[in-house]
Amino acid sequence: MCSSDLSAQGSKLSGGSDLVAGRQATLVLQACDAYGNLLLSGGDVVTGLLSGPSPCNLVALDMGDGQYHFRLTPQLAGEYKLVLTSSGQSPDSSAVNTQTHSLSVSAQDVWPAACHVPDAHKTVSAVSAVTFSIQARDRHDSPITSGGGGVAVEMHSSTDSGKIWHARVLDVGNGEYRASLEPLSPGQYLVDRKSTRLNSSHLCNL
């Protein structure tokens, strides 16, 4: 079976089930003919186009054994569409085949205890907006470079346990979150960062 018999519809794609924003992944296309038979040689022109929440380059590699690898690093979580196009290498092969896949990219798990809050100990005036810049990190203390982490921020009064302010959080989309709130009275506060897994606090004097 020659490589020009590749059928995009019959070929099989793997590696797209556990995609995480900010992490490199490799999709593997196993070339098959129109009957589903595996092709064991390369040489076909196979390209990929990925569209979704953020631009993402695809690096295609012909492994020479019927497999084609696509390396990608999506920067934002969300739903993407992958269109694979293939055409034979021989002069008499003019057919162009396309195959479309839906890919879901999840956000990295934000580990609040590791997040960096450079302004957590600053002194500001009460009844004025307090702004914190939060750099998200994972459980291994590695910076997260994508958004969608579901970060929430609260400020708790250390002198009045009933006083809690919920911050407005802006997801910048690159791993940075900007939180702003307005405490109403002076005192010492705990800035509480939350994600879907754990919480962590820092002191703030007002």
Side-chain angles (χ1 to χ4, degrees):
M1 190 69 68
C2 64
S3 61
S4 60
D5 291 327
L6 186 151
S7 168
Q9 289 75 20
S11 299
K12 302 175 177 63
L13 184 72
S14 61
S17 59
D18 297 309
L19 300 178
V20 179
R23 296 180 186 172
Q24 186 183 83
T26 299
L27 306 178
V28 178
L29 179 72
Q30 172 59 62
C32 298
D33 62 18
Y35 301 98
N37 299 310
L38 299 182
L39 299 180
L40 304 179
S41 62
D44 288 283
V45 179
V46 182
T47 60
L49 178 64
L50 188 69
S51 59
S54 66
C56 183
N57 294 326
L58 284 177
V59 179
L61 298 174
D62 182 350
M63 307 307 293
D65 58 358
Q67 288 192 350
Y68 297 83
H69 290 193
F70 296 89
R71 293 177 182 169
L72 68 157
T73 308
Q75 292 301 313
L76 293 178
E79 298 299 318
Y80 290 77
K81 182 174 73 172
L82 173 66
V83 178
L84 298 177
T85 302
S86 62
S87 58
Q89 60 177 332
S90 61
D92 59 346
S93 178
S94 59
V96 176
N97 300 303
T98 61
Q99 185 184 59
T100 301
H101 298 270
S102 296
L103 302 176
S104 295
V105 177
S106 60
Q108 289 180 314
D109 288 334
V110 177
W111 206 254
C115 291
H116 182 49
V117 187
D119 298 326
H121 297 276
K122 71 179 182 181
T123 299
V124 297
S125 300
V127 202
S128 64
V130 182
T131 302
F132 297 94
S133 177
I134 301 170
Q135 174 58 56
R137 295 176 180 268
D138 62 19
R139 64 182 302 172
H140 304 294
D141 201 30
S142 298
I144 292 176
T145 58
S146 60
V151 173
V153 177
E154 295 177 353
M155 181 173 279
H156 299 251
S157 173
S158 296
T159 55
D160 187 345
S161 59
K163 296 292 184 181
I164 301 175
W165 289 269
H166 299 274
R168 295 183 298 273
V169 180
L170 172 65
D171 184 349
V172 181
N174 60 359
E176 179 185 355
Y177 297 83
R178 296 172 185 168
S180 61
L181 40 73
E182 296 182 3
L184 300 179
S185 58
Q188 190 176 68
Y189 293 82
L190 285 173
V191 180
D192 189 18
R193 305 186 308 268
K194 296 183 176 181
S195 73
T196 56
R197 293 184 179 276
L198 291 176
N199 301 338
S200 180
S201 301
H202 281 280
L203 287 174
C204 178
N205 294 310
L206 302 181

